Amino acid sequence: MARVLKLFFIAGFLMMSLIGCMPTKPQQPDLTTLDVINNVEGDLIIRRATDQIWVYTAYLDEDSKNGLILVGENGIGVIDPPDNLDQAERLDALTEEYFGKKVDKVLWTGRILKRLSVYEHYKEAKARLLIPEAVARDEALEGATLFTPNAADKILFENHTIEPLCFREEGDLEALHVSLWLEDHGLLYTGPNLISADFDMIETPVYETSVWEMIVTGLQQQVPDPQVVVTDQGVIGGPELFYHTLALLREREFTLNYGSEKLPVRKIFLDEEIKEIFGKPEKIEESILGIGADTFTGSRIRTFSFNKTQVSLFAPPNGQDFWLTSIVTRDPRFSTVRGLNVGESLELLMTKYPEAKPVPNEMTDPGNMDYVYDQDTQGEYAIYFEVRAGIIDRIRLEYTLR
């Protein structure tokens, strides 16, 4: 009997040892207190936007790209996955590790051409693929569900309702950039190069200013009060970004180019930068605004004089930074963002700036008048064209303090 009990004990011990050696399912991380997820390679970061929506950022060399991760009841949906196949596969592994679900739906808001390997990866994984109809038609893609922006029917994507929006009336597919409105979460995903708090992005535009303004204004009218706005820079704010982007676009419109240098009003410049761009000034003058300047009393105006050009910078009282307030030039090397230079004709001025209006004065000859383009800002932002004998004699870019 004792021998039987001993054998039974040994068998039980061996069984428990075998069970202890068997692989166990890893415990899913607790997401209730987790707002940021990183991978071991350090090239993927996932940040919480809402309870069920996360924003991923993929880093590759010096570039980065953002997209959305939507957590559903049975799977994971990815909007604009990484362009790099290795990163897409690592994102799959990361989402499965932390959310315990596989990626089974993928949506692209733009072209697929340079992302074809990623498209085929998810196609082979039997994920449901969604792409804009215009893209599928142009690239002859098969195996995807097609959607059309601004359509009455919305997209059900991992239990989340998505409304695709696009307010560009025409143009190539490289600049399609469909936006997505997730009303249940108050989240607007604008994709790249549409809304930004970054002036550098505005200086390297995808669209002409008028088209860009039409797109941003369309989004603002359709989605006036988003709680969260996600762009290619991640979660960067709310509805105030509409106004900020429109202001940046206005500053882009009121810019003079000097060679490769862009000189928008209200951009901060150091004295050394002005000298590096234009060379040694003939003189530098500085004045301080007096009591008559009201709230600007004590502000400083610093003016650099060069041959045919004056550049003025402004600094508020006790301010250290000077930003560009005006450029007055007779130098034909300057050009507006619409490509107009000193020395060109009144006819070309009217062609490129049909919105320009004569400045009221005693002059009555159209060929000898001053014209102003201010984009209905009542002169706050303005470009003045002084026309003499039918030719642009001087251009003045100006921001009026208010």
Side-chain angles (χ1 to χ4, degrees), residues 87-191:
Q87 286 186 319
E89 292 175 339
R90 287 199 289 274
L91 184 65
D92 293 350
L94 202 59
T95 53
E96 187 172 359
E97 175 186 354
Y98 279 85
F99 300 105
K101 302 167 185 176
K102 292 182 178 295
V103 174
D104 62 356
K105 293 181 180 65
V106 184
L107 183 151
W108 282 269
T109 60
R111 301 211 72 162
I112 305 296
L113 282 178
K114 298 178 181 178
R115 310 167 177 91
L116 193 56
S117 61
V118 176
Y119 180 86
E120 293 296 337
H121 161 70
Y122 285 114
K123 185 177 178 181
E124 291 175 5
K126 301 189 183 305
R128 183 188 176 202
L129 310 178
L130 296 93
I131 57 177
E133 182 180 5
V135 171
R137 185 172 59 249
D138 182 74
E139 299 183 15
L141 295 171
E142 297 179 354
T145 300
L146 310 184
F147 66 87
T148 303
N150 311 324
D153 296 333
K154 301 178 183 179
I155 298 172
L156 187 62
F157 193 78
E158 295 295 358
N159 309 117
H160 304 277
T161 302
I162 295 177
E163 182 179 357
L165 302 170
C166 185
F167 296 95
R168 193 200 62 181
E169 295 178 350
E170 58 184 17
D172 62 63
L173 291 177
E174 293 296 339
L176 180 63
H177 296 162
V178 174
S179 298
L180 305 175
W181 171 229
L182 289 78
E183 184 175 7
D184 294 342
H185 302 276
L187 187 146
L188 177 65
Y189 174 72
T190 67

Side-chain angles (χ1 to χ4, degrees), residues 190-298:
T190 67
N193 298 320
L194 283 183
I195 295 179
S196 178
D198 181 4
F199 191 85
D200 289 338
M201 186 275 283
I202 303 295
E203 284 191 307
T204 54
V206 175
Y207 305 103
E208 290 296 324
T209 300
S210 59
V211 176
W212 206 337
E213 286 185 332
M214 177 186 68
I215 295 170
V216 177
T217 302
L219 284 173
Q220 186 181 34
Q221 292 173 347
Q222 186 73 18
V223 187
D225 193 27
Q227 298 175 28
V228 180
V229 176
V230 180
T231 74
D232 57 331
Q233 298 171 323
V235 178
I236 59 172
E240 74 282 355
L241 288 171
F242 291 130
Y243 302 100
H244 190 74
T245 301
L246 289 170
L248 289 177
L249 287 173
R250 179 163 290 158
E251 290 173 21
R252 171 185 172 248
E253 182 74 358
F254 293 95
T255 295
L256 288 184
N257 299 325
Y258 184 77
S260 61
E261 297 291 339
K262 298 181 184 296
L263 307 165
V265 291
R266 304 191 73 224
K267 181 177 180 179
I268 293 173
F269 285 95
L270 300 175
D271 288 5
E272 291 73 15
E273 291 179 295
I274 297 297
K275 295 174 184 176
E276 184 177 339
I277 295 170
F278 300 109
K280 184 179 178 180
E282 294 176 352
K283 62 179 177 179
I284 302 175
E285 298 174 296
E286 185 167 312
S287 59
I288 299 177
L289 300 183
I291 296 175
D294 197 14
T295 56
F296 298 107
T297 298

Side-chain angles (χ1 to χ4, degrees), residues 313-329:
L313 306 179
F314 168 87
N318 302 317
Q320 298 299 316
D321 293 330
F322 281 81
W323 43 263
L324 182 65
T325 186
S326 74
I327 298 175
V328 182
T329 185

